[in-house]
Amino acid sequence: MSEILVVLERDVVAPPDVTFDALADYSIMRPKILPEQFTGYQVTAGGTGEGTHITYDLHATKKRVRHVEAVITEPPAGQQLLESDTRSTLRVLWDVAAAPAGSKVTVKITWQGAGGVKGFFERTFAPGGLKKIYGAKLDQLQQQIAQDAP
């Protein structure tokens, strides 16, 4: 088994605090930015930032569905949100930093991949699928922030 890492970045035309607050809002904003591959999304505790608990099904492919039950923490290193699946090694780290256009959002997705032949295929194909899914989520974030701007 080896760790699999997927990293995406997007510039968001909004100040870092606005972008972070949007990402930390798991009750209202997050459902608005979920692509179709996320189903059954629910906030089961909290709703904003640290201490929030969420659950959803991630449809990585038509046949591959992962049920996620995540707890949200805010690491002390800046404006970050860490979504840790309590049922697996899946971790999604959202980082918001200042950028010339407003904010830069970096999302890092990690998990311990399978070994052997199954692991080879997972390392080969999963990163591309997750880049597409989370890229759509980042695009929706930008659109929603722009739409909600006064």
Side-chain angles (χ1 to χ4, degrees):
M1 290 180 38
S2 64
E3 183 174 85
I4 298 174
L5 170 67
V6 178
V7 179
L8 288 98
E9 292 182 344
R10 286 283 195 291
D11 288 332
V12 175
V13 184
D17 58 329
V18 170
T19 303
F20 182 80
D21 288 349
L23 281 170
D25 180 357
Y26 286 87
S27 293
I28 297 170
M29 180 61 89
R30 284 299 183 106
K32 294 179 182 180
I33 67 171
L34 294 176
E36 66 184 358
Q37 292 88 351
F38 290 83
T39 62
Y41 178 87
Q42 291 183 323
V43 174
T44 58
T48 304
E50 179 107 20
T52 297
H53 293 220
I54 58 173
T55 184
Y56 58 88
D57 292 323
L58 174 60
H59 299 258
T61 67
K62 290 181 182 179
K63 295 181 182 179
R64 179 97 166 114
V65 180
R66 176 188 290 251
H67 181 70
V68 176
E69 295 178 9
V71 175
I72 314 310
T73 56
E74 294 185 28
Q79 292 184 306
Q80 295 183 331
L81 296 162
L82 178 62
E83 302 170 2
S84 301
D85 185 9
T86 61
R87 300 167 38 113
S88 73
T89 59
L90 178 67
R91 304 291 179 260
V92 180
L93 178 67
W94 298 89
D95 183 72
V96 179
S103 307
K104 177 180 279 192
V105 178
T106 304
V107 59
K108 294 179 183 176
I109 307 148
T110 61
W111 72 97
Q112 290 297 316
V117 173
K118 183 178 177 183
F120 169 78
F121 285 104
E122 185 178 22
R123 287 186 304 277
T124 302
F125 297 109
L130 286 174
K131 283 183 179 182
K132 179 180 176 184
I133 293 167
Y134 278 85
K137 196 171 186 177
L138 287 166
D139 292 344
Q140 287 290 94
L141 173 68
Q142 170 63 54
Q143 291 174 9
Q144 196 63 48
I145 287 175
Q147 181 178 331
D148 291 351

